[in-house]
């Protein structure tokens, strides 16, 4: 069974890791958000892509969900001595990733090719693909002006009220042949429990990608990133509230209405099931909190079983 997962952030990486455990080798493709990508110290940083790759490679920092376990900070500390602003934490081994990627992109390689090669070098047997090769940075509008996503998310610690979101340059982006092929060949497509506005939203905004999903013969299911109306990590609940959306699993499902056949939500949100099914998709209750590797694999297996049942 070929599976495509759309992912961003730590929650997306965890579910991708669960799928990696239960899907046959080579049959999993993870399409990753690149709206978070930015340049720092002259290097191209791809936070969501690296989080997914490090997680699947088994080297992600378990305490944070991002970065590399056991990494050191000597390069960043030295940069600080030189007066550089070190607000974005990059470990020494992490720097190697950004150095190699930047050099290869500068030489003319596509981001898709670079990511595939680097994930293979780390022993990852899934296909990890950027949503597109073109830079499409997420911009967050606030009462104090527009912010680059990482300024909002990391530097300012998500304290700003969000009044709008845009994906700069998205009109020039294109679905890559690799992403198009994976979607066309998929049996199941999973929207991971990621922020629907700034993790899954940019992926779905790539011109032609939503149409490719709708044209696919795959069963399409999503997983809510909220439990009891709250995000386990990150600002999804606050962003939804700021932008006038229903802050609930129903609100998440409503954003995906017309796209999904089924929606998985936590048992704490059982009251949302009836309204979700009124949107034209089946609802499935289970435990969606992924504290351990076993939790990730269980949720992945239950999600795929749900999708198989929808196909039948």
């Amino acid at each position: 069974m070929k599976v495509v997962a759309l992912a961003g952030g730590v929650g997306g990486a965890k579910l991708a890791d669960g799928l990696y455990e239960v899907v046959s080798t080579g049959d999993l493709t993870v399409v990753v958000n690149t709206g978070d990508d930015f340049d720092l110290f002259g290097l191209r940083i791809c936070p969501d892509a690296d989080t997914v790759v490090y997680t699947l490679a088994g080297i992600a920092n378990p305490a944070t969900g991002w970065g590399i376990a056991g990494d050191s900070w000597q390069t960043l500390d030295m940069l600080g001595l030189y007066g550089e602003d070190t607000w974005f934490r990059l470990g020494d081994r992490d720097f190697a990733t950004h150095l190699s990627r930047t050099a290869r992109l500068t030489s003319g390689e596509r981001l898709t090719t670079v990511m595939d090669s680097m994930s293979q070098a780390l022993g990852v047997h899934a296909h990890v693909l950027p949503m597109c090769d073109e830079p499409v940075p997420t911009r967050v509008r606030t009462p104090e002006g527009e912010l680059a996503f990482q300024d909002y998310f990391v530097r300012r610690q998500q304290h700003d009220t969000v009044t709008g979101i845009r994906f700069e340059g998205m009109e020039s982006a294109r679905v890559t042949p690799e992403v198009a092929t994976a979607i066309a060949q998929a049996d199941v497509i999973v929207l991971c429990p990621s922020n629907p506005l700034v993790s899954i939203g940019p992926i779905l905004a790539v011109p032609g990608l939503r149409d490719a999903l709708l044209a696919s013969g795959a069963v399409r299911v999503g997983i809510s990133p909220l439990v009891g109306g709250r995000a386990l990590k990150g600002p999804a609940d606050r962003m939804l509230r700021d932008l006038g959306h229903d802050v609930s699993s129903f609100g998440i499902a409503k954003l995906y209405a017309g796209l999904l056949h089924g929606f998985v939500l936590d048992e704490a949100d059982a009251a949302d099931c009836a309204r979700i099914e009124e949107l034209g998709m089946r609802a499935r209750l289970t435990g969606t909190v992924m504290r351990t590797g076993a939790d990730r694999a269980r949720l992945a297996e239950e999600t795929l079983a749900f999708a198989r049942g929808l196909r039948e």
Side-chain angles (χ1 to χ4, degrees):
M1 179 170 62
K2 292 187 178 298
V3 178
V4 170
L6 276 53
V10 173
K14 286 182 176 181
L15 196 280
D17 189 46
L19 292 168
Y20 190 54
E21 289 296 315
V22 303
V23 174
S24 299
T25 300
D27 284 348
L28 173 65
T29 297
V30 186
V31 179
V32 184
N33 168 46
T34 59
D36 293 10
D37 297 3
F38 72 117
D39 294 318
L40 185 66
F41 306 128
L43 303 176
R44 190 62 174 167
I45 316 295
C46 301
D48 277 4
D50 292 342
T51 295
V52 168
V53 171
Y54 292 161
T55 300
L56 298 189
I59 63 172
N61 183 339
T64 61
W66 52 266
I68 298 175
D71 214 346
S72 52
W73 307 92
Q74 295 184 58
T75 302
L76 199 69
D77 290 343
M78 196 69 177
L79 285 166
L81 288 176
Y82 289 138
E84 299 288 347
D85 189 348
T86 58
W87 60 276
F88 195 88
R89 303 296 291 170
L90 298 171
D92 295 326
R93 294 170 69 193
D94 202 18
F95 261 110
T97 298
H98 310 316
L99 284 164
S100 177
R101 173 170 47 232
T102 303
R104 294 176 64 173
L105 290 174
T106 301
S107 73
E109 290 190 57
R110 298 164 56 217
L111 181 59
T112 294
T113 305
V114 174
M115 277 183 55
D116 183 57
S117 175
M118 296 180 82
S119 61
Q120 288 186 37
L122 292 176
V124 175
H125 301 297
H127 304 288
V128 182
L129 304 175
M131 65 190 196
C132 59
D133 287 321
E134 299 82 4
V136 285
T138 297
R139 305 295 188 191
V140 179
R141 297 191 185 99
T142 77
E144 296 186 25
E146 191 172 74
L147 300 172
F149 181 77
Q150 296 300 342
D151 282 337
Y152 159 77
F153 188 72
V154 179
R155 190 195 293 267
R156 297 167 68 99
Q157 295 292 298
Q158 311 141 43
H159 291 315
D160 296 271
T161 298
V162 177
T163 60
I165 298 166
R166 72 180 181 95
F167 310 121
E168 184 177 345
M170 187 62 84
E171 65 279 359
S172 299
R174 296 291 181 270
V175 178
T176 65
E178 293 85 353
V179 169
T181 297
I183 290 173
Q185 295 179 350
D187 298 299
V188 177
I189 296 171
V190 180
L191 274 59
C192 290
S194 306
N195 186 316
L197 302 174
V198 293
S199 292
I200 302 298
I203 302 175
L204 297 178
V206 175
L209 199 143
R210 183 183 286 266
D211 289 341
L213 293 174
L214 292 171
S216 169
V219 176
R220 302 181 297 275
V221 297
I223 303 174
S224 177
L226 301 184
V227 175
R230 298 186 64 181
L232 297 178
K233 191 176 181 67
D237 47 1
R238 283 167 282 153
M239 296 182 88
L240 288 165
R241 183 175 296 108
D242 288 349
L243 293 172
H245 298 290
D246 192 317
V247 186
S248 66
S249 288
F250 167 74
I252 303 291
K254 189 175 181 181
L255 291 172
Y256 299 143
L259 182 62
L260 299 181
H261 301 106
F263 195 70
V264 179
L265 62 161
D266 194 82
E267 292 162 338
D269 298 315
D272 286 342
C273 282
R275 289 198 298 164
I276 288 172
E277 296 206 330
E278 289 174 358
L279 295 172
M281 62 185 83
R282 292 286 302 280
R284 168 67 185 270
L285 286 174
T286 188
T288 61
V289 180
M290 294 175 283
R291 296 187 178 90
T292 66
D295 289 336
R296 301 176 189 185
R298 175 197 52 76
L299 179 57
E301 186 56 66
E302 289 188 12
T303 299
L304 296 180
F306 177 46
R308 286 192 293 267
L310 292 174
R311 178 177 295 280
E312 294 168 2

